[in-house]
Amino acid sequence: QAMVAESGGGSVQAGGSLRLSCAASGYIVSGNCMAWFRQAPGKEREGIASVRSDGRITYAASVKGRFTISKDKAKNILDLQMNSLKPEDTAMYYCAADPGLWAECVIPLRGRYFGHWGQGTQVTVSS
C-alpha cells in the first residue's frame, strides 16, 4: 500500500520559517508528479507547489519567492521549505502525488487528479 506522510508542521511567528517533509513510498517519489496543497478553515484547497519528474517546478503566486519545493529520491522525501511566513499561510498542509500525472502537474493544480494523499500537517503563523 502506498505511503504518504507529512511532518514538520507547527507554530511560528510571522517572518519565520518552517520546513515540511513528506515521506512516501519509493515508486511514488520516482513517479511523475508530487505536490503540496493547503487548506485554511472556510477556504478551498489550494495547490501551492509541484515538482515533475522532468524537473519542472511550479508555484502558486501566493507562495512564489518564499517557498521552495524539493525532492530527494534517494531518501524518498518531498520537502517544502517555507520562509517569510505570513499569518495568511496558516492552514493544513498536504502532500499529494500521482505517479501517472504529467500535463496537469503544474499550477493551477487540481486535487482530483492526485491519487495519493497524506493526512496533513498543521501550520500556524501568528502575527
Side-chain angles (χ1 to χ4, degrees), residues 20-88:
L20 305 183
S21 288
C22 172
S25 301
Y27 83 96
I28 288 178
V29 178
S30 298
N32 285 347
C33 183
M34 297 191 76
W36 287 96
F37 287 76
R38 68 184 181 184
Q39 188 166 22
K43 294 189 176 181
E44 292 188 356
R45 182 173 55 193
E46 177 190 18
I48 57 173
S50 67
V51 56
R52 204 167 65 182
S53 56
D54 63 350
R56 183 172 183 185
I57 290 174
T58 63
Y59 296 98
S62 58
V63 306
K64 195 170 186 178
R66 301 186 297 121
F67 291 11
T68 303
I69 189 172
S70 61
K71 187 167 67 172
D72 187 333
K73 287 196 289 185
K75 296 182 180 179
N76 291 338
I77 286 176
L78 178 76
D79 284 338
L80 185 69
Q81 177 66 43
M82 306 185 295
N83 298 328
S84 302
L85 283 162
K86 305 174 182 179
E88 52 263 43

